[in-house]
Amino acid sequence: MLAIMSALTEEIEHLVAEMGPTAEIFSRGMRNYHKGVLWGTPVVLVFSRWGKVSAAATSACLISEFGATGIIFTGVAGAVDPRLKVGDVVIGNRLYQHDMDARPLFERHEIPLLKITAIPTDAVLRAQLEKAAADFLQHGVHTALTATARKRFNLTAPKSVTLDVASGDKFFANKAEVRELRSRLPVGCVEMEGAAVAQVCLEHSIRFGLIRTISDSADEAAPIDFLAFIKEVAAVYSHGIIKNFLKNRAK
Ligand code: ADE
């Protein structure tokens, strides 16, 4: 069973609507798991809630209760690489926990007992998501978004790139903090869940893929951009990319 998880209720609701009335809902630990079929593939959809603990708990439940053999995480992220613009899509390459610091017992960012600092996404899922995102941005994005959203966020030629990602329990809204993060980790963007899901998937030998749309530049304007963006753009993007991804797999 493939699982699709997001830290945005808007994204999950958009996909749940696509499943239709045959979907079943299971409530566990303050989450609703929606089991059904999306574009020919049986999937379970769930809102992870926010942060690493929430994402890890949701991942563990997906694996132990729903038999997930792969997890795709969709959501938004703040840009760290200055070449990224709001509306670009990042496909996750390697995931770091930027707030992991067990010095002097382990190196900074090293995950205790796993002997690694970064966890790669699954190569097959990564390639499939890269194709799905590139196709969506080339062919689907202009018709999927409203003219108001395109204008408001200046979405003229959004691109998709594969980059390393940092996760941690912090919303970045300060340029100096972003510069400091970039000086210690070679990441393109920052978010709050991906690396936790990556760790649970690694520990259970489960495939993991990550799609993140850039919602803000992790600077002082981040909170304003973020709230408007998830309503007007993020749910449309994840719907379009997941649709391409699942349709290609069902072929
Ligand atoms: N997700 C989206 N924007 C973010 C930011 N600025 N910091 C952390 N997570 C985010």
Side-chain angles (χ1 to χ4, degrees), residues 76-79 98 166 168 170-173 178 190-193 212-219 222-223 226:
V76 291
H98 65 71
K170 174 179 172 64
F171 187 87
F172 279 77
V178 170
V190 67
E191 40 88 319
M192 298 178 69
E193 294 84 17
R212 288 285 186 176
T213 302
I214 299 299
S215 56
D216 60 88
S217 297
D219 57 10
F226 177 79

Side-chain angles (χ1 to χ4, degrees), residues 162-232:
T162 300
L163 292 171
D164 291 348
V165 176
S167 314
D169 291 325
K170 174 179 172 64
F171 187 87
F172 279 77
N174 180 302
K175 265 284 162 238
E177 288 178 353
V178 170
R179 266 198 302 276
E180 190 278 324
L181 173 68
R182 194 163 157 75
S183 73
R184 61 184 156 94
L185 288 175
V187 295
C189 64
V190 67
E191 40 88 319
M192 298 178 69
E193 294 84 17
V197 183
Q199 183 176 337
V200 176
C201 288
L202 174 86
E203 290 174 352
H204 289 264
S205 304
I206 295 295
R207 292 175 189 272
F208 170 59
L210 180 75
I211 315 163
R212 288 285 186 176
T213 302
I214 299 299
S215 56
D216 60 88
S217 297
D219 57 10
E220 288 67 12
I224 309 158
D225 295 352
F226 177 79
L227 291 175
F229 188 87
I230 57 175
K231 280 208 187 90
E232 295 175 40

Side-chain angles (χ1 to χ4, degrees), residues 19 47 65 74 80 83 104 109 113 120 133 168 181 184 188 192 200 209 215 248:
M19 270 182 169
F47 166 51
E65 287 224 28
T74 77
V80 172
R83 289 169 300 184
H109 305 125
L113 314 183
L181 173 68
R184 61 184 156 94
M192 298 178 69
V200 176
S215 56
N248 284 336

